[in-house]
């Protein structure tokens, strides 16, 4: 049977011109539409993102998915995670830090701090100084000290909580993967970095998960354990030594400053590996021990009291690198000794503490997932 002119046109159109999209009797030039949306492969990646963002925001905000049909002609919205990762959180946190250091007028301090106390449930009865007029700026208020008797240190257990917060996860490290929250893991090697500098290794760097674990576990029969503690904005912002140990090395990872609240930790894989963090490593009586302070949005400042050379969220450091500092010197061949409960450092606002340590197989945590914990309370013991 002989085809009609219109049928022949449709058949020829579809077979020989794939850049034309046929919908009923309307013909949309797909190539031209892609060019207008900035989706041609010849454009640079930043240009693609810049051209795609306005439509992406509309895609997520407009009712009934008004822009969803555009996906049929090759346009894809920038994902929510990609959008969030591209936010200049380091710059914003740096600006927030400057704002926090601005001295507030005496008459404005009580209403500002009272609003913060009401919003985040701060218990000022535990503060060493309860008078709100004493704190000249928000930074001083965030870093307020507690009364000595407010946090008694448990002496019966070998490892205590280094801070106030919420237990996100804990347990034994398996397959060199650590859970940041239930079901979402990150690589132990990516989080801690190489065991030592490559030039100091008497053997090649770890080439497999098992060999990296063997570099950390120094004693036969021991296992690796981890514990993740999230500090909310209303929590006490200082952190302390969780046990008697010696700090031999500090490793600073400049990085992003994304939020580390539990909801975000479920959303972004390897969040703790992307964020800026300070890893303190050393030894305790059972072998390897480490404490990592993870930065977050508006937490550009991580301070370690005995490390005056540490400067976090600094523009001179680029993301994707790390810098090491050794506390072992000719004069001090062991490092910095820390007693259980001793002041170690502080955050501005809230963030996360991650403990990764070696212990015998009979080490037991005394925790429940999601429980609130305070500095000085027991984490676990043998």
């Amino acid at each position: 049977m002989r085809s009609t002119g219109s049928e022949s046109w449709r058949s020829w159109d579809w077979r020989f011109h794939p850049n034309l999209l046929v919908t009923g009797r309307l013909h949309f030039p797909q190539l031209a539409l892609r060019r207008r949306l900035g989706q041609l492969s010849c454009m640079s990646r930043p240009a693609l993102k810049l051209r795609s963002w306005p439509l992406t925001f509309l895609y997520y905000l407009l009712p009934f998915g008004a822009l969803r049909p555009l996906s049929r002609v090759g346009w894809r919205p920038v994902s929510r995670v990609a959008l969030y990762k591209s936010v200049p959180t380091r710059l914003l946190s740096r600006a927030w830090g400057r704002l926090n250091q601005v001295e507030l007028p005496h008459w404005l301090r009580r209403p500002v701090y009272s609003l913060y106390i009401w919003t985040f449930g701060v218990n000022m009865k535990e503060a060493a100084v309860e008078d709100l007029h004493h704190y000249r700026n928000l930074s001083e208020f965030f870093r307020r000290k507690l009364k000595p008797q407010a946090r008694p240190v448990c002496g019966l257990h070998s490892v205590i909580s280094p801070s106030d917060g919420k237990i996100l996860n804990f347990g034994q490290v398996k397959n060199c993967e650590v859970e940041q929250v239930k079901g979402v893991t990150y690589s132990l090697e990516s989080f801690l970095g190489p065991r030592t500098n490559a030039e100091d290794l008497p053997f090649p760097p770890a080439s497999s998960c098992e060999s990296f674990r063997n570099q950390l576990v120094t004693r036969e029969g021991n296992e690796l354990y981890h514990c993740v503690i999230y500090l909310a904005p209303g929590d006490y912002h200082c952190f302390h030594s969780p046990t008697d140990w010696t700090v031999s090395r500090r490793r600073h990872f400049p990085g992003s400053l994304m939020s580390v609240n539990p909801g975000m930790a479920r959303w972004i894989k390897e969040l703790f590996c992307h964020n800026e963090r300070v890893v303190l490593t050393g030894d305790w009586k059972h072998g390897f021990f480490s404490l990592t302070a993870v930065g977050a949005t508006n937490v550009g400042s991580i301070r370690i009291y005995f490390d005056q050379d540490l400067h976090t969220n600094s523009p001179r450091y680029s993301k994707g690198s790390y810098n090491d500092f050794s506390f072992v010197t000719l004069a001090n061949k062991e490092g910095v000794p820390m007693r259980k409960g001793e002041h170690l450092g502080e955050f501005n606002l809230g963030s996360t503490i991650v403990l990764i340590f070696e212990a015998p197989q009979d080490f037991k945590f005394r925790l429940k997932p999601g429980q609130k914990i305070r500095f000085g309370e027991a984490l676990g013991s043998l």
Side-chain angles (χ1 to χ4, degrees):
M1 180 180 293
R2 190 172 180 176
S3 300
T4 64
S6 60
E7 291 175 348
S8 299
W9 166 253
R10 289 186 182 180
S11 176
W12 176 85
D13 187 16
W14 178 254
R15 292 179 182 177
F16 297 101
H17 290 271
N19 285 327
L20 294 177
L21 179 66
V22 180
T23 305
R25 294 185 178 182
L26 298 178
H27 304 272
F28 293 98
Q30 182 177 355
L31 186 60
L33 185 55
R34 284 195 180 188
R35 183 182 292 113
R36 287 179 178 274
L37 293 176
Q39 296 298 306
L40 286 178
S41 59
C42 61
M43 295 186 66
S44 64
R45 187 174 296 273
L48 288 175
K49 287 186 176 181
L50 183 62
R51 296 285 297 275
S52 182
W53 278 359
L55 286 173
T56 298
F57 280 116
L58 291 175
Y59 179 87
Y60 289 128
L61 294 178
L62 285 179
F64 311 115
L67 293 179
R68 293 181 190 274
L70 292 176
S71 62
R72 298 179 183 176
V73 292
W75 176 71
R76 294 292 183 271
V78 177
S79 70
R80 293 175 174 88
V81 174
L83 278 173
Y84 182 64
K85 285 183 177 180
S86 61
V87 174
T89 52
R90 299 181 75 192
L91 180 61
L92 293 175
S93 297
R94 214 171 290 144
W96 177 254
R98 297 287 180 87
L99 180 63
N100 284 351
Q101 295 174 6
V102 175
E103 185 170 345
L104 295 176
H106 193 270
W107 61 270
L108 190 58
R109 295 175 187 177
R110 177 173 290 277
V112 169
Y113 300 146
S114 296
L115 177 62
Y116 187 91
I117 291 169
W118 177 79
T119 302
F120 297 107
V122 178
N123 184 3
M124 284 302 294
K125 293 183 178 180
E126 298 177 333
V129 180
E130 297 185 38
D131 182 12
L132 298 181
H133 293 107
H134 170 80
Y135 303 100
R136 295 173 297 176
N137 51 50
L138 283 167
S139 183
E140 287 188 0
F141 181 73
F142 292 149
R143 295 179 287 107
R144 64 192 177 277
K145 299 297 187 291
L146 298 182
K147 295 174 181 176
Q149 66 274 19
R151 297 289 187 275
V153 176
C154 178
L156 300 178
H157 300 278
S158 54
V159 183
I160 62 170
S161 176
S163 66
D164 290 6
K166 178 182 179 181
I167 301 296
L168 294 189
N169 220 300
F170 63 92
Q172 192 177 121
V173 176
K174 298 180 180 179
N175 301 321
C176 285
E177 293 284 330
V178 184
E179 284 191 324
Q180 57 190 22
V181 291
K182 185 71 172 178
V184 181
T185 63
Y186 57 92
S187 164
L188 181 62
E189 187 170 5
S190 298
F191 182 70
L192 295 178
R195 181 67 173 98
T196 56
N197 289 331
E199 59 269 18
D200 296 335
L201 286 173
F203 45 82
S207 58
S208 67
C209 169
E210 190 61 28
S211 58
F212 179 76
R213 178 189 174 280
N214 291 340
Q215 291 182 32
L216 300 180
V217 179
T218 60
R219 303 182 185 181
E220 186 176 355
N222 281 1
E223 297 290 344
L224 275 181
Y225 298 88
H226 74 100
C227 183
V228 182
I229 305 171
Y230 167 68
L231 287 74
D235 288 328
Y236 168 55
H237 291 79
C238 296
F239 51 93
H240 301 245
S241 176
T243 191
D244 296 332
W245 64 308
T246 301
V247 183
S248 58
R249 182 180 294 271
R250 177 258 292 163
R251 175 167 288 165
H252 172 214
F253 288 86
S256 301
L257 288 170
M258 295 180 282
S259 172
V260 293
N261 69 63
M264 194 65 66
R266 294 187 187 93
W267 192 29
I268 299 179
K269 182 177 175 59
E270 295 196 333
L271 172 62
F272 295 162
C273 296
H274 291 301
N275 270 17
E276 181 152 6
R277 58 198 182 279
V278 177
V279 182
L280 300 178
T281 56
D283 297 280
W284 71 318
K285 60 183 178 180
H286 299 296
F288 172 78
F289 198 97
S290 72
L291 180 148
T292 302
V294 182
T297 307
N298 298 334
V299 193
S301 174
I302 302 173
R303 183 183 173 192
I304 304 298
Y305 294 138
F306 59 77
D307 188 357
Q308 302 302 316
D309 295 323
L310 175 65
H311 300 283
T312 57
N313 195 18
S314 172
R316 64 178 174 175
Y317 297 125
S318 59
K319 294 191 294 184
S321 61
Y322 66 84
N323 55 83
D324 282 336
F325 184 85
S326 177
F327 300 109
V328 178
T329 62
L330 293 176
N332 181 11
K333 296 184 178 181
E334 293 186 355
V336 181
M338 296 296 301
R339 299 296 301 273
K340 184 168 64 174
E342 186 177 352
H343 278 85
L344 182 54
E346 63 188 30
F347 291 113
N348 277 330
L349 208 58
S351 196
T352 299
I353 295 285
V354 180
L355 301 179
I356 299 174
F357 55 93
E358 173 186 3
Q361 294 179 356
D362 56 350
F363 181 87
K364 300 295 182 184
F365 283 102
R366 300 177 179 271
L367 303 171
K368 294 179 180 179
Q371 80 170 71
K372 292 288 292 183
I373 198 165
R374 304 203 301 177
F375 155 63
E377 296 178 347
L379 287 183
S381 62
L382 298 171

